[in-house]
Amino acid sequence: MTYRRAVIPALVGGLLITLLLWWAGAGAGALRLPGTGTVFDVQSASELRRWLTPWAYESPGTPLSDGSAGSTWAASTGYADLYRTAMQIRYVAVFAFFLAGALLLLRRIPPTRGRTPATLLALWAWGPVAGTLAVTVSAPWLIASMGRGGFRVLPRLASATASSGPVVVFAALMASVVTVVVARVTVKDTDPPPRRSTPRAARLAASAGTAVIAFSLVILSYQSVAARIQTSAGGSGLLSEPGDPLRQWLLLGGWTGPSTTPLGDWLLYRAADVVMLAVVWWALRLLPGLLTRTTAPAMAVGAVCATVLALLASQLLHMAMDDTVAVWGPVHLFSRLGENVPAALTFGGAAGLVAFGVLRMAGATRPVAAGHHPGGETRTAAEDVHR
């Protein structure tokens, strides 16, 4: 699929996820109305507010001032303007990031026969990544709008980065379905590129990429190592506690020794981590065959999507083991969806580049074949090499 054909479904998907998040954020204020308790229980209403607050266009509170009426109004107006600016940047950023990722994914994994499920899953996984990047980019304006922009900047930045919430996962699912449907229409009258057989080197590349993911999931996320990471980087003043953002962008989960929990529960939770690594390996093994052309950006983005999908699979398994629904309400069951996406972006991209390096050394990164390119383009073998 050419970029000219991919831009229409990518634009539709970007607009849809932006509108869905705006609509979800507009409902955050309704959860504070008196009648909310007749629809949701207290715990569920509180959890829903936590989900929707990062996307609420109206400021949830009024900043502090020196007490005089004039200064209160001036401060409130100024901080409200900063908050609206932050949300405008957030919505523009989520549209731009989703558009950029969807363009690359639709270009390299067009929704043709044999590739449509992979395209759908990749676009769905890219949605939480776009949401995480959007909240990260807009976080400085949001922090400044709280009236204490110079206090604990890095910890508050880390908290904002992790606040995109499960609502992005659900919005991305709907946006990815619509994007694939529109892309199927735009690619209908083109000569679809054949799906390649998976090269033998893909297993070795998948193993190398999975080892990168396991380094974060098993080693860095171990309780004592994670604590060392969070406390090793000291700081003071505006840039105090840099360990908080390091933890967000480096740790894919949390490991504890079996001595702190019953052995059966520890093994059950480790089974979810095994499922995550298995999903990553399986996706990375199939990725070279799904791509119309194996390039470093495509492998990096594809590996990020594979890591996010593995995280979602692990989180769904944790949901099946969760027994706190009776205490915290049914909405709490989905509260972990979309966690650890910053670390998935960091190590997923690294895993994709490592896998691409292994494939390149094995000579398995050549184009599909001369004369068979997305969009029915015809090129010679010499043009394929320099493309």
Side-chain angles (χ1 to χ4, degrees):
M1 178 182 277
T2 61
Y3 282 118
R4 183 167 54 101
R5 293 181 180 273
V7 70
I8 296 176
L11 281 171
V12 171
L15 287 172
L16 182 58
I17 192 173
T18 304
L19 290 174
L20 287 173
L21 291 174
W22 179 85
W23 174 73
L31 292 173
R32 293 193 293 267
L33 297 176
T36 305
T38 62
V39 180
F40 303 103
D41 56 83
V42 176
Q43 292 85 357
S44 296
S46 176
E47 188 68 22
L48 284 173
R49 279 197 300 271
R50 186 182 70 83
W51 290 12
L52 301 180
T53 296
W55 302 98
Y57 194 76
E58 295 298 329
S59 178
T62 303
L64 299 175
S65 65
D66 60 5
S68 63
S71 63
T72 301
W73 171 254
S76 178
T77 303
Y79 290 133
D81 290 342
L82 273 175
Y83 185 88
R84 282 191 291 270
T85 300
M87 297 312 298
Q88 290 167 0
I89 294 172
R90 182 165 296 186
Y91 284 118
V92 172
V94 75
F95 169 78
F97 284 123
F98 187 87
L99 175 65
L103 276 174
L104 180 61
L105 291 171
L106 291 173
R107 170 66 169 163
R108 295 304 176 200
I109 314 178
T112 55
R113 182 185 303 177
R115 287 190 176 97
T116 301
T119 308
L120 177 62
L121 291 174
L123 289 171
W124 180 30
W126 183 253
V129 176
T132 296
L133 292 174
V135 298
T136 303
V137 168
S138 61
W141 285 268
L142 192 67
I143 293 172
S145 71
M146 301 302 174
R148 299 188 300 271
F151 176 68
R152 292 171 55 86
V153 174
L154 291 180
R156 296 170 73 187
L157 179 62
S159 177
T161 300
S163 67
S164 57
V167 64
V168 183
V169 178
F170 297 118
L173 178 60
M174 290 184 276
S176 61
V177 171
V178 175
T179 303
V180 168
V181 171
V182 177
R184 291 276 294 182
V185 175
T186 59
V187 79
K188 197 171 186 180
D189 57 345
T190 63
D191 184 19
R195 178 175 171 178
R196 294 181 296 173
S197 59
T198 304
R200 293 181 178 179
R203 288 189 175 88
L204 181 59
S207 300
T210 305
V212 176
I213 302 298
F215 178 72
S216 170
L217 182 64
V218 178
I219 298 177
L220 297 184
S221 298
Y222 190 71
Q223 191 176 42
S224 59
V225 179
R228 182 71 61 87
I229 290 173
Q230 191 163 3
T231 58
S232 61
S236 60
L238 296 180
L239 301 180
S240 61
E241 302 185 32
D244 286 10
L246 279 177
R247 186 183 182 93
Q248 288 292 338
W249 290 89
L250 295 180
L251 306 187
L252 277 170
W255 277 67
T256 56
S259 59
T260 59
T261 56
L263 181 60
D265 294 342
W266 185 85
L267 292 175
L268 196 60
Y269 274 87
R270 297 292 73 81
D273 297 327
V274 172
V275 168
M276 179 180 170
L277 293 177
V279 171
V280 170
W281 187 89
W282 174 76
L284 289 180
R285 185 182 67 85
L286 295 179
L287 187 58
L290 292 169
L291 295 172
T292 57
R293 187 164 181 261
T294 307
T295 61
M299 285 294 296
V301 173
V304 169
C305 295
T307 308
V308 175
L309 283 175
L311 272 175
L312 292 175
S314 174
Q315 289 159 3
L316 288 173
L317 189 56
H318 280 294
M319 286 168 50
M321 298 183 290
D322 194 352
D323 58 352
T324 61
V325 175
V327 178
W328 297 104
V331 179
H332 179 74
L333 193 63
F334 302 93
S335 61
R336 295 196 61 181
L337 284 179
E339 288 185 353
N340 304 116
V341 173
L345 179 60
T346 303
F347 284 92
L353 294 177
V354 168
F356 175 78
V358 173
L359 290 172
R360 190 177 183 86
M361 288 188 294
T365 59
R366 298 185 183 92
V368 180
H372 294 285
H373 282 273
E377 301 170 330
T378 302
R379 287 182 169 87
T380 63
E383 289 173 326
D384 281 339
V385 174
H386 297 289
R387 184 167 178 247

